[in-house]
Amino acid sequence: VADGRPGRLLLRRGKHRRVQQLQALPSHQEADGERLLQVNLKRPCPFWPDDGHCSIKDCHVEPCPESKIPVGIKSGNYNKYSPAADPAPDAAECEQVKELGAINSTLSNRSKQAFADWARHDDAQDHFCELDDETSPDSEYVDLLLNPERFTGYKGPSAWRVWNSIYEENCFKPRSVYRPLNPLVPSRGDDDGESFYTWLEGLCLEKRVFYRLISGLHSSINIHLCAQYLLDEGWDRSVWGPNVQEFRQRFETAKTKGEGTRRLKNLYFLYLIELRALYKVAPYFERAFVNLYTGNLQEDAATKELLLQVFSEIRAFPMHFDEKSMFAGHKIEAKILKEEFRLHSKNISRIMDCVFCSKCRLCGKLHTQGLGTALKILFSEKEIQNLPEHSPSQGFQLTRQEIVALLNGFARLSTSIHQLHVFRLMLKDNR
């Protein structure tokens, strides 16, 4: 679904794990609508002065040419509903709409602005990430297939500042805990890190979950970096491939004081969270009138068929994570904690606008928007259960941007776990 190639869906069944290969779409037009992410890579960093533009050539992001954007998306008519679900209104309905429109004209400009502000506020209440403004002149479509996640050479103070801001300021860490939450920062002195995890286990479930989600996301990004590393660069070509030494440096038990194992466990944890979200949101897409619209009816039908196959596989293993155990305490306290959880998550997505490298910024936005959409789904259970079968819902909606981020973000996690298996085989061969 993500990029037209066979996808890998890892499901645990009893004591066995199998990899389900999904049938690819036609290579000449593979899921065009679902691999195009609309992003704004020119938004200024909201937290500190911009570092400027990255001069590393592998940081460049290639936008999608206008001619390659499907007509249904380019025209702005990318709603999720088929024309059959929106029949033409009769004359009486048109007259009623006209009358209702006349009522709106009596509102003052101030009242109209208030309504608009309320609508924006209400729409944002279930958002766990900062979505780019699709109407911005700097917003453009990026083909995710042409911009793979891999090593770019982006490192140093700029990269460290981003991760330190994420871990130090957004992972519910009090100032009294001196050990940095960034797993790439070594602990002080003889501290083996166990005192930090003893402290972490003393936190409430929700705060532990938040840390594990961010750690899992970080691990996924690092595995992609190690799996698609620049091994050699010549005059006419660049050679990309797995870098075992880089992988060992970031994840091997001896080199990370046991931290690497925790990082990889958190990757699996994040995978299960997003898998659970896909399980929960299946009814939203399974309604007959919902169509992943791009303007190409044949492609849309094939893409939805693939998506329904994924949901069918996921249903065979439903218990990925029980989100009902979260925010289940005292009502007022739970509400406050959930709002903190949402704001911290949203803040991390905003930090992605501070990433110096354009390609890294694109990958960061994809990951955080995918995770944010998954969290939105997990905590919208009642709204999803009450979805009308034959008409659009007013209580729960997903934008095209959220759908693309959710599916492609999950695909990146699946690829990370597959690459992890490849590295294990390589390490075994080396030994």
Side-chain angles (χ1 to χ4, degrees), residues 296-335:
N296 184 320
L297 297 180
Q298 184 178 4
E299 178 191 322
D300 295 344
T303 303
K304 183 170 181 180
E305 168 114 21
L306 281 177
L307 190 57
L308 295 182
Q309 287 181 33
V310 172
F311 291 143
S312 177
E313 289 293 330
I314 293 174
R315 278 207 172 89
F317 176 49
M319 290 311 296
H320 321 109
F321 176 79
D322 183 12
E323 70 283 353
K324 291 181 180 179
S325 60
M326 295 181 63
F327 310 110
H330 188 274
K331 269 192 172 183
I332 296 179
E333 293 178 357
K335 185 175 182 180

Side-chain angles (χ1 to χ4, degrees), residues 45-172:
C45 173
F47 302 109
W48 55 77
D50 281 344
D51 292 321
H53 298 288
C54 185
S55 59
I56 305 172
K57 69 180 183 65
D58 292 316
C59 284
H60 176 67
V61 170
E62 188 65 38
C64 189
E66 183 76 12
S67 60
K68 298 295 184 181
I69 301 175
V71 62
I73 297 176
K74 185 161 52 178
S75 66
N77 186 23
Y78 43 78
N79 63 74
K80 300 172 286 300
Y81 310 109
S82 64
D86 188 22
D90 57 28
E93 289 175 328
C94 288
E95 187 62 30
Q96 183 182 26
V97 169
K98 184 177 179 180
E99 291 177 3
L100 290 174
I103 295 174
N104 289 335
S105 66
T106 65
L107 297 173
S108 67
N109 290 333
R110 181 176 180 180
S111 297
K112 290 179 182 178
Q113 184 61 45
F115 278 122
D117 292 341
W118 293 339
R120 280 194 295 270
H121 177 76
D122 291 341
D123 289 343
Q125 287 309 291
D126 58 355
H127 287 171
F128 285 77
C129 63
E130 185 86 14
L131 296 172
D132 288 342
D133 181 7
E134 296 180 345
T135 63
S136 169
D138 290 327
S139 182
E140 58 187 357
Y141 286 98
V142 173
D143 190 329
L144 297 173
L145 183 59
L146 299 179
N147 294 278
E149 185 172 1
R150 61 189 183 188
F151 174 80
T152 64
Y154 175 58
K155 56 186 177 180
S158 177
W160 282 110
R161 179 159 56 175
V162 169
W163 282 114
N164 281 334
S165 178
I166 290 173
Y167 281 104
E168 292 291 318
E169 300 170 17
N170 290 278
C171 280
F172 300 98

Side-chain angles (χ1 to χ4, degrees), residues 181-240:
L181 288 175
N182 188 336
L184 293 183
V185 177
S187 54
R188 297 182 181 179
D190 297 328
D191 181 15
D192 59 2
E194 291 305 315
S195 59
F196 163 73
Y197 284 100
T198 300
W199 168 82
L200 185 65
E201 288 304 311
L203 293 180
C204 65
L205 170 66
E206 293 80 4
K207 294 181 179 180
R208 296 199 309 272
V209 164
F210 192 90
Y211 169 74
R212 296 192 67 186
L213 292 177
I214 301 306
S215 174
L217 185 150
H218 197 176
S219 297
S220 178
I221 292 173
N222 282 331
I223 290 176
H224 275 276
L225 180 153
C226 298
Q228 293 294 324
Y229 203 88
L230 183 59
L231 302 177
D232 187 31
E233 188 173 19
W235 286 102
D236 58 344
R237 67 187 183 96
S238 298
V239 179
W240 302 85

